[in-house]
Amino acid sequence: MTSIKQHLIEHICRYCELKKPHIGKDEVSEDLDDFVDRIFAPESLGGLKQVIRLIARVRNISFHSAQSIMKELNLATYIFDALHKYSFDIEDRYISNEYHRTKYQKGWCSEYPFYVVLLKSYEYNLTIKSCELFATFIKHYYSVLDTLRDKDLARESSTREEDACSNFRLFMRTNVAELNFVRETIPNTTGDSPAAIAHQLDQYLTSKETWPYLPHKNYLRTLCHFFSNDWKPAKHITRRRPAIDRVPKRYADPIAIPIVGAHDDIFALLPDEPLIPNSEGLNDDDQYAAQTFVINNRDVDTKRDKTELLDTAIPFNKHVQNRTAIDVTASVRRSHNMGIQNTQLLMPEELNFLIEKLILMGHRPANREMTIVIWLMLLLSKSVEEIQSLVVFTDLSRKQQGLYIDELGQGWWFFYVSHSAKAKLDNEGLREVKEEVFTPCPEFLQKLIVSNRGAQLTGPILNEKDSKIITSTVVRKLKKLSDRHASGRVSVRRLVNFVSYYLNSTDVIDPIFIDYSYAVHMYTTRVARSYANVRDHFRTEQLSKLWQNVEQDIQLFTGKPLPVSLFELRHFDQTNPFLGSSFTPTNDAIATLINSLTKRVSASIPGFQHRLLDMIEYHNAFTAYTAWMLLFGTGYRAAWNPLPTFALFLPSLNLMGISDKDDSDFSHSRIVAVPNILVSQLNEYKRHLGCLRSLLRVLLPKMCSTIDNIVDVQQHVLSFNHTQATQWYKVIRNSRKEQGPFFFLNRQGNSVVATNLSPSELVNYCKNELQLPANAGRHWLKSHLLKKNICPELINFQMGHWQAGEVPLGDYSALSHVEAINEIVPVLDELFEEVGWKSLKSVIS
């Protein structure tokens, strides 16, 4: 039994104890063996996490395809839930990396070809049709496995199993227009047989109009043989090859995300290396600072040709280079400082004109589908390709992303909300979250979609399968409407990004509510979504607030209300569940944490003689209480040595400097507001350290000298010049080596040593009473600031969720830190009072 399998069985058994007590260890072991054997996984089980992610990705798009794949893979539902809903953490870093691996090892393509197809699924272009094709491929694979492994049919260098799997993998990954078209049209229906799919593929291959020239035809040709199962013995032909390898080298394209509001040719660069979700609630995207670099003049929608040479038009003039950098930076800055008068935002006049035309167009059957596309672009912030993946369904047991029509005839948009970082099974007191989100659909739009579907209600929202045809039709219609109107051009981009532009300009609501409601991963919510946890009813109320503001803007211009309502406030689930982060603690759990920490402080008060052991226990308890309060009050990430120096804490202004996630240029250092209770506690903790050094001076002179530098640090740094301050900050910020104010005292033989506070030590200090993740305070703060309707810009200010072009400490920033802090502090005081944080006085100070 492999090490990963042992840990997997233990993890699943712990899950069953909590959720499925009737399932025993023997059944878990048997079901897991069936699953592992069925997918022909290697002995190491490397990359098994990608198989679980595959099911989750397919489920988000096509529920019945995911169910079919799980059935064929012998993956029990409780095993999937245990590995998907909860974090599978292993202390051994090597085993953890192996479980999360995304690359196959040498020889796997020939030895485990089908497993490689599952492992590399994160690269696939998944739509409704491609998910259905994937499910059919897996089902057919097992039915013809004997043929695929027949040695008489094998080629000289590979078996037919390798050919089928490698070609299908490349077919699903390759982003070529013709192959995209095939993935959008095959199979014709969900119940198509493998023979029918082979016939459909063959029709595309023989059609000269569809395939005038395509170097990837072999992918489809091999898949034709696979689905028709008509393999023939290979013909071995010896070809002469040149002595020199003339194949050009391949260079990976950068990963780029468009910056909302910036020009089309400007993108933010993201780290390419796939990361493992942190066990303390730190999401993939939040492990490193958001890149402040941008890529300019690059078409990221198409793959660069392998033979393409680098651009030789490189300006060597430093003034030209500087001018280009300034232009790009200015464009990015403008994108994050949009005003309500910004020309990229649809004005009330344009919205009123567009809505009137859409209402008229909806009455004409010929224009109905195009009208639906434009409405969905505006209301759901979806592109044509994303709209094509939406369906209409009436059965909740076969739900897919799209429009659900309930028994009463009401329409609800259905999407999933999921995060890569999951809570541990051992965590306690966290909010239970749902991944399914139902959002009310306006009645006029529902009727329009239903009438377009005709007699067959269920199925894709759009009948047209070619996205190019839909896009060109919409572009022509918008151009025609714009030409007849005196205002600016209404374009596809302005429609799809209307909500993003509007929120950037007005800050009516936080963009995270759009993200959760319609699965729109906006650039501004890329990292922030990891920490938000909100009530479902509050989410729909925020959406109603957004569209009411839009309607009011139009009404102020026209003087009359809109003939249709853009949003109708209804609640699908009356239990009002939570959505979002699974690391957010309940208020009861926080109260339990505070009580347990307070009792530890009271129980460890040293006696009259102040013995050394008593002093150590009391200091550790007082430090743990103060550190937990710091994490909850400031939004600190789970970092070693939080608040590395008192010089970064300014109690008179209720502010603190934080560098818990930074780069060499300090681009993510930030200033945060500090609640008054935490200010009092930190001042008391500083006095506590001052008295502690006096009591231990004789016994531990070296340690007390270090404490002297911690307590009296302001006297030293005030004399630094800019260069000295920069060098000092590089040394102390977020450092494990440099001694900070928060440390535990531990006995080592006859001596006492001070070690910087680590997240794991903080969590384990009160694990007998309650085990919260170290990042719980950050998740709690973000979620409750959203609940208090704080301006999104101020929430990002406190949390440090800055994007490219947003540097609040930059010389060009117009943000007033004092005003921002004065606005946030009363809210933080209110939150601290609700959960019961209090300032404790040290008995030795």
Side-chain angles (χ1 to χ4, degrees):
M1 183 181 290
T2 63
S3 298
I4 288 184
K5 187 178 289 187
Q6 290 174 348
H7 289 290
L8 284 171
I9 292 176
E10 294 173 2
H11 173 84
I12 298 170
C13 287
R14 288 201 304 272
Y15 169 81
C16 291
E17 290 175 2
L18 295 174
K19 306 294 182 180
K20 309 284 185 180
H22 61 280
I23 300 178
K25 185 175 182 180
D26 293 339
E27 185 176 352
V28 169
S29 179
E30 183 179 347
D31 289 343
L32 185 62
D33 285 337
D34 289 344
F35 167 57
V36 170
D37 294 341
R38 182 69 168 173
I39 61 178
F40 306 110
E43 185 69 18
S44 66
L45 296 185
L48 189 65
K49 177 64 177 179
Q50 306 309 321
V51 184
I52 305 300
R53 287 182 175 177
L54 162 66
I55 304 299
R57 285 187 66 201
V58 174
R59 185 198 60 176
N60 292 351
I61 300 171
S62 176
F63 185 81
H64 66 269
S65 296
Q67 292 294 100
S68 173
I69 293 175
M70 289 179 63
K71 180 181 178 181
E72 293 298 328
L73 298 184
N74 289 346
L75 176 57
T77 303
Y78 74 91
I79 293 180
F80 169 75
D81 291 339
L83 299 177
H84 170 65
K85 294 182 178 180
Y86 293 91
S87 174
F88 175 57
D89 296 307
I90 310 171
E91 293 182 0
D92 190 323
R93 195 64 181 171
Y94 172 78
I95 296 178
S96 179
N97 291 339
E98 189 68 17
Y99 175 73
H100 289 89
R101 75 157 44 242
T102 57
K103 299 177 181 178
Y104 49 82
Q105 292 182 348
K106 184 178 181 180
W108 279 16
C109 287
S110 58
E111 192 172 356
Y112 313 108
F114 179 70
Y115 185 75
V116 173
V117 172
L118 304 177
L119 171 66
K120 302 296 286 185
S121 58
Y122 65 90
E123 297 180 341
Y124 300 163
N125 297 293
L126 293 183
T127 60
I128 290 179
K129 286 296 182 183
S130 62
C131 288
E132 292 174 355
L133 184 63
F134 201 173
T136 306
F137 174 86
I138 293 175
K139 184 176 182 179
H140 187 62
Y141 166 82
Y142 289 114
S143 65
V144 298
L145 188 56
D146 292 339
T147 305
L148 294 176
R149 293 182 176 180
D150 191 340
K151 295 182 180 180
D152 295 334
L153 300 176
R155 295 192 299 142
E156 185 177 5
S157 59
S158 62
T159 63
R160 294 304 185 183
E161 181 186 11
E162 295 175 52
D163 293 342
C165 292
S166 62
N167 278 272
F168 181 78
R169 172 167 53 87
L170 296 173
F171 163 74
M172 291 289 288
R173 188 188 69 179
T174 305
N175 190 18
V176 179
E178 290 83 359
L179 295 187
N180 290 340
F181 182 73
V182 174
R183 286 194 297 265
E184 290 297 327
T185 54
I186 295 179
N188 289 337
T189 63
T190 308
D192 283 357
S193 64
I197 294 177
H199 179 68
Q200 295 164 26
L201 290 170
D202 187 62
Q203 284 184 323
Y204 283 112
L205 280 171
T206 55
S207 173
K208 294 183 179 180
E209 295 179 359
T210 310
W211 309 97
Y213 169 74
L214 182 65
H216 303 90
K217 268 190 176 183
N218 285 334
Y219 296 164
L220 299 181
R221 189 172 289 111
T222 303
L223 292 180
C224 276
H225 290 303
F226 168 77
F227 283 108
S228 59
N229 198 28
D230 61 352
W231 302 101
K232 296 179 181 179
K235 297 179 181 179
H236 303 296
I237 302 175
T238 304
R239 291 185 173 90
R240 294 183 179 181
R241 297 186 178 275
I244 302 176
D245 186 7
R246 300 184 182 276
V247 178
K249 295 181 179 180
R250 299 189 181 192
Y251 297 93
D253 286 347
I255 299 178
I257 286 185
I259 301 176
V260 174
H263 296 299
D264 290 336
D265 57 354
I266 296 181
F267 298 82
L269 295 182
L270 298 179
D272 186 18
E273 187 68 22
L275 303 172
I276 299 174
N278 188 284
S279 61
E280 300 298 344
L282 196 61
N283 200 42
D284 289 10
D285 294 329
D286 206 17
Q287 294 192 36
Y288 296 105
Q291 296 288 340
T292 57
F293 305 101
V294 297
I295 184 169
N296 194 16
N297 298 325
R298 178 76 177 118
D299 184 6
V300 298
D301 293 332
T302 58
K303 274 286 184 182
R304 178 165 58 86
D305 185 66
K306 294 185 296 183
T307 60
E308 177 187 350
L309 298 177
L310 296 177
D311 187 4
T312 57
I314 302 175
F316 294 97
N317 189 320
K318 291 185 178 180
H319 297 289
V320 175
Q321 294 177 352
N322 189 42
R323 181 71 261 168
T324 303
I326 291 175
D327 290 342
V328 173
T329 304
S331 176
V332 175
R333 290 176 186 169
R334 284 194 301 271
S335 69
H336 289 289
N337 292 275
M338 298 180 67
I340 194 66
Q341 73 282 1
N342 193 287
T343 56
Q344 297 182 78
L345 177 65
L346 288 172
M347 297 294 109
E349 180 185 4
E350 296 169 319
L351 282 172
N352 179 65
F353 171 77
L354 178 63
I355 290 173
E356 287 181 352
K357 292 298 181 183
L358 290 177
I359 294 174
L360 294 175
M361 289 166 52
H363 297 313
R364 304 169 190 165
N367 295 331
R368 194 169 289 156
E369 186 156 303
M370 178 177 55
T371 306
I372 293 172
V373 173
I374 297 176
W375 273 120
L376 296 183
M377 285 180 174
L378 178 66
L379 299 180
L380 271 61
S381 301
K382 296 287 186 182
S383 64
V384 171
E385 290 75 14
E386 292 171 325
I387 294 172
Q388 280 187 298
S389 65
L390 302 179
V391 301
V392 181
F393 65 96
T394 57
D395 186 0
L396 282 179
S397 64
R398 298 175 62 86
K399 48 185 173 288
Q400 298 177 236
Q401 62 178 6
L403 181 63
Y404 167 62
I405 308 239
D406 62 15
E407 299 84 355
L408 302 176
Q410 293 181 325
W412 306 86
W413 293 112
F414 170 76
F415 294 96
Y416 282 97
V417 177
S418 59
H419 301 283
S420 57
K422 308 290 184 181
K424 298 179 182 178
L425 282 167
D426 298 333
N427 292 146
E428 303 173 66
L430 301 181
R431 290 177 175 176
E432 290 287 339
V433 295
K434 290 190 66 175
E435 293 186 340
E436 301 175 350
V437 180
F438 291 88
T439 307
C441 173
E443 185 179 358
F444 79 92
L445 182 56
Q446 175 195 336
K447 291 181 178 179
L448 195 63
I449 294 174
V450 170
S451 61
N452 185 60
R453 289 299 309 159
Q456 186 179 359
L457 177 59
T458 59
I461 285 182
L462 302 183
N463 296 316
E464 177 58 53
K465 299 177 181 179
D466 194 339
S467 59
K468 290 184 177 180
I469 295 177
I470 301 174
T471 304
S472 61
T473 305
V474 172
V475 169
R476 286 197 305 269
K477 188 62 178 179
L478 292 177
K479 181 179 183 302
K480 187 176 180 180
L481 292 176
S482 300
D483 291 341
R484 295 179 178 179
H485 190 57
S487 63
R489 174 79 63 193
V490 180
S491 64
V492 170
R493 183 187 178 192
R494 294 179 73 191
L495 279 173
V496 174
N497 293 321
F498 167 72
V499 173
S500 297
Y501 294 159
Y502 191 83
L503 295 181
N504 282 349
S505 304
T506 61
D507 272 349
V508 174
I509 65 171
D510 197 286
I512 200 66
F513 297 108
I514 302 295
D515 187 314
Y516 283 179
S517 301
Y518 306 117
V520 180
H521 292 186
M522 288 187 280
Y523 172 75
T524 51
T525 62
R526 181 177 60 89
V527 176
R529 72 191 309 269
S530 308
Y531 297 96
N533 182 291
V534 295
R535 287 277 191 183
D536 188 40
H537 291 186
F538 181 66
R539 174 189 62 87
T540 52
E541 291 165 2
Q542 291 293 297
L543 294 179
S544 178
K545 178 182 176 182
L546 164 66
W547 292 111
Q548 281 181 2
N549 275 266
V550 175
E551 293 178 8
Q552 289 172 4
D553 292 342
I554 300 174
Q555 186 174 353
L556 287 174
F557 171 76
T558 61
K560 56 183 180 180
L562 275 178
V564 295
S565 177
L566 300 180
F567 187 85
E568 299 168 4
L569 183 58
R570 305 192 306 265
H571 302 305
F572 182 83
D573 192 342
Q574 299 305 317
T575 60
N576 197 15
F578 287 103
L579 305 170
S581 162
S582 59
F583 291 88
T584 306
T586 63
N587 284 354
D588 291 340
I590 300 173
T592 303
L593 173 68
I594 295 173
N595 290 334
S596 63
L597 291 172
T598 305
K599 289 179 180 178
R600 292 286 291 272
V601 173
S602 301
S604 59
I605 293 177
F608 178 76
Q609 295 182 346
H610 283 56
R611 295 188 308 157
L612 180 60
L613 291 178
D614 295 340
M615 291 295 299
I616 291 175
E617 186 178 356
Y618 181 77
H619 167 77
N620 291 347
F622 198 75
T623 300
Y625 180 86
T626 308
W628 270 113
M629 184 188 292
L630 174 73
L631 297 184
F632 273 86
T634 60
Y636 232 114
R637 292 176 178 86
W640 276 72
N641 194 15
L643 184 60
T645 172
F646 280 122
L648 298 177
F649 170 51
L650 301 179
S652 60
L653 298 177
N654 285 77
L655 65 83
M656 179 184 295
I658 284 183
S659 177
D660 55 359
K661 182 190 77 168
D662 218 332
D663 53 22
S664 59
D665 296 325
F666 311 137
S667 62
H668 241 69
S669 292
R670 69 186 191 274
I671 290 174
V672 300
V674 182
N676 286 303
I677 296 176
L678 179 56
V679 170
S680 301
Q681 183 65 29
L682 289 175
N683 286 332
E684 182 62 25
Y685 184 72
K686 188 175 181 180
R687 286 192 292 270
H688 165 83
L689 291 182
C691 295
L692 181 68
R693 63 180 174 178
S694 301
L695 294 172
L696 301 181
R697 182 77 66 182
V698 176
L699 295 176
L700 305 169
K702 186 176 181 180
M703 179 186 296
C704 292
S705 177
T706 303
I707 299 178
D708 288 340
N709 295 330
I710 295 173
V711 175
D712 303 326
V713 64
Q714 285 91 340
Q715 301 175 11
H716 303 290
V717 300
L718 290 177
S719 61
F720 289 166
N721 57 33
H722 182 271
T723 304
Q724 292 173 325
T726 302
Q727 186 59 38
W728 165 81
Y729 185 68
K730 285 182 178 179
V731 173
I732 62 97
R733 65 187 180 109
N734 195 18
S735 171
R736 297 190 183 191
K737 297 180 181 179
E738 296 296 319
Q739 191 68 56
F742 289 99
F743 56 87
F744 276 169
L745 297 177
N746 299 302
R747 291 294 300 268
Q748 284 189 358
N750 295 326
S751 62
V752 178
V753 296
T755 57
N756 281 332
L757 192 61
S758 69
S760 59
E761 286 180 316
L762 196 59
V763 169
N764 293 331
Y765 188 78
C766 55
K767 66 179 181 180
N768 293 331
E769 294 84 7
L770 182 71
Q771 190 163 358
L772 290 176
N775 231 18
R778 182 170 173 82
H779 291 255
W780 172 84
L781 184 60
K782 165 79 175 184
S783 303
H784 280 74
L785 288 177
L786 287 171
K787 181 181 177 181
K788 294 294 183 181
N789 279 322
I790 299 296
C791 174
E793 184 180 10
L794 294 181
I795 296 178
N796 291 334
F797 167 83
Q798 183 74 7
M799 302 299 295
H801 286 152
W802 304 113
Q803 309 298 332
E806 298 178 329
V807 184
L809 294 177
D811 295 334
Y812 54 83
S813 175
L815 178 69
S816 172
H817 295 82
V818 175
E819 292 180 5
I821 288 172
N822 289 339
E823 190 169 343
I824 297 176
V825 166
V827 180
L828 297 179
D829 289 340
E830 184 180 345
L831 293 177
F832 262 41
E833 186 176 351
E834 288 177 0
V835 294
W837 284 110
K838 296 180 180 179
S839 177
L840 297 183
K841 183 175 177 59
S842 173
V843 296
I844 66 173
S845 63

